[in-house]
């Protein structure tokens, strides 16, 4: 009997709390293990960590982790926050800002996301309502045996 691998997705709403990114990464690892995608954990966790850290550092309100798989072996990791401003270099075709100096303690996160992801992008949500406005930064990764 053939098995069907339906698409799936989870959203974890997080308060603006310094423990929230760690809780989100733990949730991400559990979801990937449950769906047989543990191979993607290192890349997905790095991407999520950078996006979550940016949401926590650059916004004052809540944020959310969104993980979604529409086809087997592929994963989209997204982080929503209430600030609609898009960080430099995160739109398609846009070049990122300068890389931080070697001794800087920050400034490399979105460069890491771009380097690790198979695709990345942003959805700006300007309308209030169910989405509460803001933006969703996302990155996709896939198993190494997929094209």
């Amino acid at each position: 009997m053939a098995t069907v691998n339906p698409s799936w997705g989870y959203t974890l709403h997080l308060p603006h709390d310094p423990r929230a990114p760690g809780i989100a990464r733990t949730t991400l690892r559990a979801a990937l293990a449950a769906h047989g995608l543990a191979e993607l954990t290192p890349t997905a966790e790095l991407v999520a960590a950078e996006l979550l850290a940016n949401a926590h550092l650059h916004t004052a309100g809540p944020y959310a982790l969104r993980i979604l798989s529409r086809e087997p072996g592929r994963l989209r990791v997204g982080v929503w926050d209430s600030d609609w401003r898009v960080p430099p270099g995160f739109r398609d075709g846009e070049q990122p800002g300068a890389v931080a100096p070697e001794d800087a303690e920050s400034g490399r996160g979105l460069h890491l996301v771009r380097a690790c992801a198979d695709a990345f992008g942003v959805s700006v949500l300007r309308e209030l309502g169910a989405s509460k406005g803001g933006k969703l930064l996302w990155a996709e990764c896939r198993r190494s045996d997929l094209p």
Side-chain angles (χ1 to χ4, degrees):
M1 173 190 233
T3 59
V4 176
N5 191 351
S7 62
W8 55 268
Y10 299 94
T11 301
L12 177 63
H13 296 273
L14 300 156
H16 194 267
D17 180 292
R19 296 167 288 220
I23 291 167
R25 290 191 310 273
T26 299
T27 302
L28 173 66
R29 286 191 301 269
L32 293 180
H35 286 280
L37 292 173
E39 174 186 331
L40 296 179
T41 300
T43 302
E45 191 172 5
L46 174 68
V47 166
E50 295 302 336
L51 297 178
L52 289 160
N54 279 353
H56 184 78
L57 291 172
H58 299 293
T59 65
Y63 45 99
L65 173 68
R66 174 82 172 137
I67 50 178
L68 174 68
S69 178
R70 291 191 180 124
E71 54 188 270
R74 293 182 188 267
L75 179 72
R76 180 176 281 195
V77 177
V79 173
W80 168 86
D81 66 53
S82 59
D83 184 357
W84 57 267
R85 292 174 294 169
V86 177
F90 219 80
R91 292 184 191 271
D92 265 345
E94 185 180 47
Q95 293 302 309
V99 177
E102 222 175 89
D103 59 348
E105 293 184 16
S106 63
R108 294 180 190 84
L110 294 181
H111 290 279
L112 287 172
V113 170
R114 290 172 57 108
C116 292
D118 294 303
F120 61 90
V122 61
S123 298
V124 177
L125 311 166
R126 294 186 189 270
E127 304 239 352
L128 295 178
S131 69
K132 300 179 183 169
K135 69 179 171 299
L136 177 76
L137 296 177
W138 57 267
E140 292 182 351
C141 50
R142 67 178 188 278
R143 283 195 336 240
S144 59
D145 61 337
L146 296 176

